[in-house]
Amino acid sequence: MTNKIPLAGVIGAPIAHSKSPDLHNYWLKRYGIKGHYVPLHIEQGDLEGVLRALPKMGFVGANVTIPHKERVLALADIVTDRAALIGAANTLIFRSDGKLHADNTDGFGFIENLRANADWNPEVGPAAVFGAGGAARAVIASLLEVGVPEIRLANRTRTRADALKEEFGTKINVVEWVQAGYMLEGARTVVNTTSLGMVGKTEFKVPLDGLEKDAVVTDLVYTPLRTALLKAAEKKGCQTVDGLGMLLYQAVPGFERWYGLRPEVDDATRNFVLSR
Ligand code: NAP
C-alpha cells in the first residue's frame, strides 16, 4: 500500500503522556505540510512486527521511547555511529529501499538547547553530570563530542557510573553519590540527568554550596520547568537552561527527514507545547 500523505509517530509503552504528537502536529500545521504524527502504544513483544508493518501503512519514520530505545538497535539495518555509541535510538527512518535506519538525536537536542539558550563554551572547564541512566549516555557522548575537558560523574548506583567510565574513557571521573556536591567546584557545565526533582519524584538534594556563578546549569527534567536545581542555580547567578528545549530540539532531525523541512524551535513552538 502506498500512502502519499507521510505518516510518522512515537512508539512506546506507555505513550499517552508524550508531547511528541503535539509538537510534530504543531509543526505540520504551521508549515502547511500534509502529514500526520500519532502516538503508538506498542508492547515489547510486538515491536518487531510493528516495525515491519508500519512502512507498508505509509509510515516514513518514527520516534522511539521507553521501553524500546535499546532493543530497536538490534532490529535496525543501519545504525548511526552516535546511536551505536549511546547504545539506544530515538529516531527511525523507514527508507524507500526497505531498510530500517536508526539514529539517536538526544545528544543533538541536549547540545542545541544549551547553545541556543546560554552563552556556553563547553571547552572552558569540567562538566558535572548527575545520573548514569539512559539519558546520561546521550549527554556524556555529546559533551565529549563538543570538547569538554573532563566529566565528573555521580550516580546513586555507583556501578552504573563506573560502567560509563569504562565505556567512555579517561575523561570521565566517577565521584561517590554522597560526595556529588564536591563535583561542582570549578565545574562550568552542570547537568542533572536523574529524574530527581520531577513532579511526583524525590527532590534533588545534592548540596549546591560548591556551585560557581560562571557555571551553566541545565536540568533534563522539564516538569516542572523551573526545577529546584535551576532556581537555586539562578540565585547563585548562574545561567540556567530548562529541559524542555532538549525535547524540542531532539525532534528537529526526525521531522526534517520525514517531512522534508527543517522546523524552527522558537518561542511559539515552546509556548504551544507548554499549553498542551
Ligand atoms: P533512567 O535510565 O531510568 O535513569 C534514571 C536516573 O535517575 C538514574 O541515574 C537513577 O539512578 C537516577 N535516580 C532515580 N531515582 C533516584 C533517587 N531517588 N535518588 C538518586 N538518583 C535517582 O531514566 P532516563 O531515561 O535517563 O531519564 C532521566 C530523566 O531525564 C527523566 O526525568 C526523563 O524524563 C528526563 N529526560 C528528559 C529529556 C528531555 O528531552 N528533556 C530526554 C530524556 C530524558 P540509579 O542508577 O541509581 O537508579
Side-chain angles (χ1 to χ4, degrees):
M1 185 173 129
T2 329
N3 188 338
K4 292 272 164 53
I5 296 179
L7 306 177
V10 55
I11 301 172
I15 204 60
H17 67 285
S18 173
K19 289 186 183 294
S20 293
D22 286 332
L23 171 61
H24 285 275
N25 286 310
Y26 165 79
W27 278 332
L28 286 168
K29 192 167 172 212
R30 170 167 162 176
Y31 296 114
I33 297 170
K34 281 199 168 113
H36 298 285
Y37 185 103
V38 291
L40 297 162
H41 185 120
I42 307 297
E43 299 296 346
Q44 299 212 39
D46 296 328
L47 182 65
E48 186 169 2
V50 164
L51 292 179
R52 282 189 214 287
L54 286 177
K56 296 176 194 156
M57 296 162 66
F59 278 75
V60 290
N63 287 122
V64 190
T65 186
I66 292 166
H68 305 307
K69 289 175 92 164
E70 291 84 21
R71 164 119 173 84
V72 83
L73 287 188
L75 301 172
D77 301 298
I78 299 154
V79 175
T80 61
D81 288 347
R82 58 186 180 176
L85 184 67
I86 294 164
N90 70 338
T91 304
L92 302 179
I93 296 143
F94 303 137
R95 294 181 9 162
S96 51
D97 61 5
K99 292 211 179 340
L100 174 60
H101 180 277
D103 192 10
N104 193 311
T105 65
D106 280 336
F108 167 83
F110 171 73
I111 297 294
E112 286 303 296
N113 187 32
L114 283 173
R115 286 197 170 134
N117 294 299
D119 179 14
W120 179 60
N121 178 357
E123 295 174 19
V124 292
V129 175
F130 301 102
R137 298 180 66 88
V139 165
I140 288 169
S142 62
L143 283 174
L144 291 173
E145 200 180 325
V146 297
V148 285
E150 178 197 351
I151 296 178
R152 302 166 181 172
L153 179 64
N155 192 50
R156 176 182 59 176
T157 310
R158 165 131 192 174
T159 47
R160 288 183 95 183
D162 288 336
L164 290 185
K165 179 177 174 62
E166 189 75 20
E167 245 181 278
F168 287 97
T170 54
K171 285 188 179 168
I172 315 285
N173 286 316
V174 176
V175 174
E176 284 293 337
W177 181 245
V178 287
Q179 301 196 313
Y182 294 116
M183 301 197 299
L184 295 168
E185 282 161 31
R188 301 295 291 269
T189 307
V190 174
V191 191
N192 174 36
T193 79
T194 74
S195 48
L196 292 172
M198 196 172 163
V199 172
K201 304 261 177 177
T202 314
E203 280 169 49
F204 182 91
K205 284 190 190 140
V206 173
L208 299 176
D209 310 306
L211 186 60
E212 294 176 19
K213 71 169 175 12
D214 48 10
V216 174
V217 181
T218 187
D219 201 327
L220 267 55
V221 169
Y222 56 84
T223 47
L225 207 50
R226 305 305 296 169
T227 60
L229 169 63
L230 294 185
K231 284 183 186 165
E234 226 164 49
K235 273 197 186 148
K236 291 225 166 203
C238 302
Q239 295 184 75
T240 61
V241 180
D242 68 55
L244 182 64
M246 175 175 171
L247 177 85
L248 304 179
Y249 281 105
Q250 64 77 32
V252 168
F255 188 96
E256 184 177 23
R257 286 296 293 265
W258 306 324
Y259 302 114
L261 184 146
R262 193 165 185 86
E264 201 180 337
V265 173
D266 56 10
D267 286 347
T269 312
R270 220 180 125 78
N271 290 337
F272 179 80
V273 172
L274 280 174
S275 73
R276 305 299 291 176

